[in-house]
Amino acid sequence: MNYFAKAPELMKSVLALNEAVETCGLEKSLLHLIKLRASQINGCSYCVDMHAHEALEDGDSLQRVLLVAAWRESPLFTERERVAFAWTEALTRVADGGVPDALYAAALAQFSESELVKLTVAVSIINTWNRLSVAFHALHPIRD
C-alpha cells in the first residue's frame, strides 16, 4: 500500500517530525547507526537497506555498518554510540521492561538532557517508519 497516498496530511506531519530529527543537532553518523539498529530489531528490510547505505554514503566504514547488529562485541564503537544503541534497543523493545535506571544514568553521562530528548524522538520516529514499512510490505531497492 502507498500509505503516503492514503493519508497525505498525516504523512506530511510524520515527514516534518523526521526532518526535525534530521536537523536537531545530533551527529548525523549517530542518527544513521541508531536508525539502522532499530530497523534491524524490527526486521524492516527497507529501512535496514536505506540506513546502511546512507551511513556508508556519509563516510562510515563498511565494517562498522556490518557490525551494528553485534555492537556489544565490537570495539569499533564509542561509548556514546554504545549508550545510544542500548537506549535504542530499550525504547524499541519498551514493552519488554522499559528503560532501566542504570541505562538512564549511563545515557545522561553521555548525552545532555536536551540531547537525550532528541535521541528519544529519533528512536521514536524510526520505529514509526519501521512499522509503516513492515505493515505495508515496503520493498527495499534491489541493488547491483
Side-chain angles (χ1 to χ4, degrees):
M1 176 192 308
N2 179 347
Y3 46 87
F4 281 92
K6 300 301 179 187
E9 290 305 313
L10 187 59
M11 292 312 301
K12 283 181 189 175
S13 296
V14 174
L15 284 169
L17 180 56
N18 191 78
E19 180 59 26
V21 165
E22 291 298 316
T23 60
C24 74
L26 290 177
E27 307 95 294
K28 193 170 212 162
S29 61
L30 181 71
L31 290 173
H32 289 314
L33 295 176
I34 61 109
K35 290 176 196 178
L36 177 56
R37 185 63 193 127
S39 299
Q40 290 169 338
I41 293 166
N42 289 321
C44 182
S45 65
Y46 185 90
C47 295
V48 167
D49 178 76
M50 178 191 330
H51 298 300
H53 279 88
E54 287 177 349
L56 292 170
E57 289 166 8
D58 283 344
D60 217 328
S61 74
L62 178 60
Q63 187 176 28
R64 280 173 39 94
V65 169
L66 292 172
L67 287 168
V68 165
W71 63 269
R72 284 179 182 82
E73 292 79 27
S74 174
L76 295 177
F77 302 102
T78 67
E79 189 58 29
R80 182 173 168 92
E81 290 167 334
R82 291 176 178 290
V83 168
F85 287 141
W87 191 258
T88 299
E89 290 181 3
L91 294 179
T92 300
R93 297 178 174 136
V94 72
D96 293 344
V99 176
D101 292 341
L103 175 55
Y104 182 69
L108 286 175
Q110 291 295 320
F111 294 89
S112 70
E113 289 179 351
S114 174
E115 287 175 325
L116 193 54
V117 171
K118 293 171 184 179
L119 180 63
T120 301
V121 174
V123 172
S124 298
I125 194 67
I126 189 55
N127 274 281
T128 297
W129 288 121
N130 290 165
R131 279 147 181 77
L132 287 164
S133 295
V134 170
F136 299 119
H137 303 279
L139 179 62
H140 62 83
I142 307 300
R143 301 176 191 266
D144 293 334

